[in-house]
Amino acid sequence: MEKMRDLGMNHHSISDRTSADTLTERLKGINIYLIGMMGVGKSTIGKLLQSHLKYGFCDTDAVIEQVAKKKITDIFNDEGETAFRDLETQVLEEVCAYTRLVIATGGGIVERSKNWSYLHYGLTIWLDAPLETILSRVASDEGDRPLASQIETRLQKRQPLYSQADLKIDATGTPEAIVEMIITSIPQVLKSDV
């Protein structure tokens, strides 16, 4: 795959894009990893995208909570961030064994280079939004997001890591518009033989 393309709010109608079925065929089962800060809509976008592509959907944070049998905030509070990141890497390693998945990842998954060894096996899409948008989206559920108070600092640290993605998509539109943008943009970074 070629280097990431920065794709803004270019609106193409679904009728003039490569059909989702053709795109699914061209993807040849590779996983799609959604990366980006908390609050950019990775889970919402992931669920919509998977239905268009006829893929499965996985949210690594939800899997971590199932495995640990506790909320992410409790993992952070009881065991610390390092223990959470260890679990996150373990979960990513396991979901990578599957194919035909859209995977919504935690915002900090990009901080460990080992995780990139898994992410690079699929197509990575950075859902990006301005700091103000992220802050307004997470304001109501700060209690469920252990690092919400550190968003600005974390965003600055992670932006160079997120920029390693195959695609950068502006995540400020409606979920439907964002999914449409992803579907029309993926063919631009797929090699003809994926």
Side-chain angles (χ1 to χ4, degrees):
M1 282 173 238
E2 56 190 70
K3 193 66 186 145
M4 176 187 70
R5 294 185 189 232
D6 186 351
L7 299 161
M9 294 297 290
N10 298 338
H11 291 286
H12 304 280
S13 72
I14 295 213
S15 62
D16 72 356
R17 66 161 168 79
T18 305
S19 76
D21 289 344
T22 304
L23 181 57
T24 300
E25 199 175 290
R26 285 194 61 204
L27 284 167
K28 299 186 193 266
I30 65 169
N31 291 334
I32 295 176
Y33 297 94
L34 302 179
I35 64 172
M37 286 298 290
M38 64 180 81
V40 295
K42 296 182 297 280
S43 297
T44 302
I45 302 305
K47 288 173 189 169
L48 281 172
L49 184 59
Q50 67 95 35
S51 69
H52 280 281
L53 297 176
K54 298 182 180 113
Y55 262 41
F57 174 75
C58 175
D59 183 322
T60 59
D61 284 350
V63 174
I64 290 166
E65 288 184 342
Q66 288 174 348
V67 169
K69 295 181 175 46
K70 56 169 89 172
K71 291 262 184 214
I72 288 174
T73 47
D74 295 333
I75 298 169
F76 268 82
N77 294 337
D78 300 347
E79 301 164 46
E81 185 174 356
T82 301
F84 171 78
R85 296 293 170 209
D86 290 344
L87 259 175
E88 185 175 55
T89 298
Q90 220 178 322
V91 165
L92 181 62
E93 180 181 6
E94 301 223 355
V95 298
C96 282
Y98 296 91
T99 57
R100 298 179 59 88
L101 287 177
V102 175
I103 301 165
T105 65
I109 207 157
V110 296
E111 291 184 20
R112 284 196 173 172
S113 57
K114 181 177 183 177
N115 293 343
W116 279 102
S117 67
Y118 302 120
L119 296 171
H120 284 310
Y121 277 104
L123 180 73
T124 52
I125 300 173
W126 172 19
L127 297 180
D128 188 32
L131 177 62
E132 303 73 37
T133 303
I134 295 169
L135 290 172
S136 70
R137 288 180 183 173
V138 301
S140 61
D141 58 348
E142 197 166 310
D144 293 332
R145 298 180 185 265
L147 301 175
S149 62
Q150 304 168 25
I151 288 176
E152 188 169 3
T153 310
R154 298 274 174 156
L155 180 60
Q156 288 172 350
K157 178 182 177 184
R158 293 173 183 170
Q159 278 177 326
L161 300 168
Y162 291 144
S163 71
Q164 294 177 48
D166 299 302
L167 282 173
K168 177 182 177 185
I169 299 287
D170 180 334
T172 56
T174 66
E176 294 76 14
I178 295 165
V179 168
E180 196 169 303
M181 198 183 332
I182 290 169
I183 287 170
T184 57
S185 302
I186 287 175
Q188 298 172 38
V189 293
L190 286 179
K191 289 182 180 173
S192 54
D193 59 344
V194 174

